[in-house]
Amino acid sequence: MTNKKDIFLLSRIADACDKNFEPCFFDFYDEVFQEKIEDTIKNNGVPYLFFGGHPEAERKMLCIYPEYILSEDLKWPIFAIEFDKTMPLDHRNVLGELMHLGITRESIGDIDVGEEIVQIIAHQRLQDFLWINFNQVKGREIKTTIKEYQQILCVKKNFKRISVVVASNRLDGIINKIWGFSRQNSLIFIKQGKVRVNYSEISKNDFRLKSGDILSLRGKGKAKIISMDERTKKGNIRLEVDRYI
């Protein structure tokens, strides 16, 4: 369901389509909202582009621009701030620190946690603020480096391959196995709208999953089902899952 904040933003985007005299850049949006934006724009016949700093980015900035401008000439107001990964941490640790600084989620693109470095893609307006104020994660000091958007790396995402056994391919019986909580909590998370499959919110606990599906659970992370063809001796399904960390 689209909330008032989303309706206001989609109205701004529609207005930018009507007044398309120069490139108009918006914030970063996830895959679900990118689809809503495309539904708003597609009937206007104006050029637009999503870009998140590198080809594999998931959260992307929107630009609506006039026909006389080539997409490759757009100057994206994007930068990255990078620091060495000297401690165990994950996406949530970094995002929590940024939110603690009062930064809105829409101002931040992908947070790439690699084996050796952490890269945060953000809107250009945050560059000075982050350079001055973003200096620790998990209570430990970090030394940051600023990268222009042409220098942004495509950081390979870390994941842990796990094997879980389930009775069926129902959503509610799988997410609790992947993230380690009770079946009852699965029902609560689904009812609260916290579960997405292939970036679409799923409200039915008996939704059937298949190989290749990407699961997102707000507050827990993301996982991809690699295979679910193997059966145990008792007839249960053995899943191979990549859980992103």
Side-chain angles (χ1 to χ4, degrees):
M1 184 175 180
T2 304
N3 58 37
K4 291 182 178 179
K5 181 180 177 181
D6 291 348
I7 291 172
F8 175 72
L9 175 57
L10 292 172
S11 176
R12 284 184 55 218
I13 290 171
D15 187 58
C17 292
D18 293 335
K19 302 174 182 177
N20 190 24
F21 309 121
E22 59 182 2
C24 183
F25 295 93
F26 290 81
D27 282 334
F28 294 93
Y29 309 109
D30 62 19
E31 295 90 341
V32 175
F33 204 71
Q34 288 170 34
E35 291 182 1
K36 292 182 180 180
I37 290 172
E38 289 190 313
D39 288 340
T40 298
I41 293 178
K42 64 184 179 183
N43 294 326
N44 286 275
V46 299
Y48 69 94
L49 190 65
F50 289 105
F51 179 62
H54 60 75
E56 300 300 319
E58 296 178 356
R59 293 180 60 82
K60 297 178 182 179
M61 179 178 286
L62 167 68
C63 179
I64 297 170
Y65 58 97
E67 293 183 353
Y68 64 82
I69 293 179
L70 299 177
S71 60
E72 54 265 32
D73 292 333
L74 294 172
K75 299 185 183 301
W76 293 88
I78 294 175
F79 81 104
I81 190 165
E82 178 184 292
F83 62 92
D84 291 337
K85 184 183 175 185
T86 58
M87 71 193 97
L89 54 80
D90 59 23
H91 177 279
R92 287 172 294 172
N93 299 134
V94 181
L95 179 60
E97 193 67 42
L98 295 170
M99 299 298 102
H100 181 71
L101 292 173
I103 295 171
T104 61
R105 189 64 183 97
E106 293 79 13
S107 301
I108 302 293
D110 279 12
I111 299 172
D112 298 315
V113 181
E115 291 287 349
E116 298 181 351
I117 67 167
V118 177
Q119 175 181 260
I120 304 164
I121 300 172
H123 196 292
Q124 191 71 48
R125 64 175 176 263
L126 293 179
Q127 181 168 320
D128 291 342
F129 179 83
L130 287 178
W131 176 249
I132 295 171
N133 296 284
F134 183 59
N135 47 38
Q136 67 174 14
V137 176
K138 295 178 67 175
R140 294 175 60 177
E141 186 176 348
I142 57 173
K143 184 178 180 180
T144 57
T145 303
I146 298 295
K147 303 285 187 181
E148 299 300 325
Y149 86 83
Q150 298 92 337
Q151 301 173 301
I152 293 175
L153 302 175
C154 186
V155 179
K156 185 177 180 181
K157 297 184 183 298
N158 290 333
F159 62 86
K160 179 180 181 181
R161 178 69 57 88
I162 60 174
S163 179
V164 299
V165 176
V166 295
S168 73
N169 64 339
R170 283 170 55 121
L171 176 64
D172 58 354
I174 289 179
I175 60 174
N176 67 311
K177 295 288 187 178
I178 293 175
W179 282 287
F181 46 77
S182 70
R183 184 73 169 265
Q184 184 62 34
N185 280 338
S186 293
L187 301 178
I188 293 172
F189 289 142
I190 293 169
K191 184 177 180 180
Q192 291 176 339
K194 293 184 177 181
V195 181
R196 291 176 177 174
V197 178
N198 300 324
Y199 309 113
S200 295
E201 183 181 314
I202 301 299
S203 58
K204 295 182 178 179
N205 56 291
D206 61 350
F207 183 86
R208 301 289 172 165
L209 298 172
K210 62 185 184 302
S211 296
D213 281 346
I214 297 174
L215 313 179
S216 303
L217 177 55
R218 192 187 314 159
K220 296 291 184 179
K222 184 180 295 186
K224 181 177 181 179
I225 298 177
I226 302 303
S227 68
M228 56 191 318
D229 301 323
E230 185 181 348
R231 292 274 179 173
T232 67
K233 292 181 180 180
K234 294 183 178 180
N236 293 323
I237 302 172
R238 186 180 303 279
L239 273 69
E240 294 296 316
V241 179
D242 283 349
R243 188 176 66 197
Y244 291 88
I245 56 178

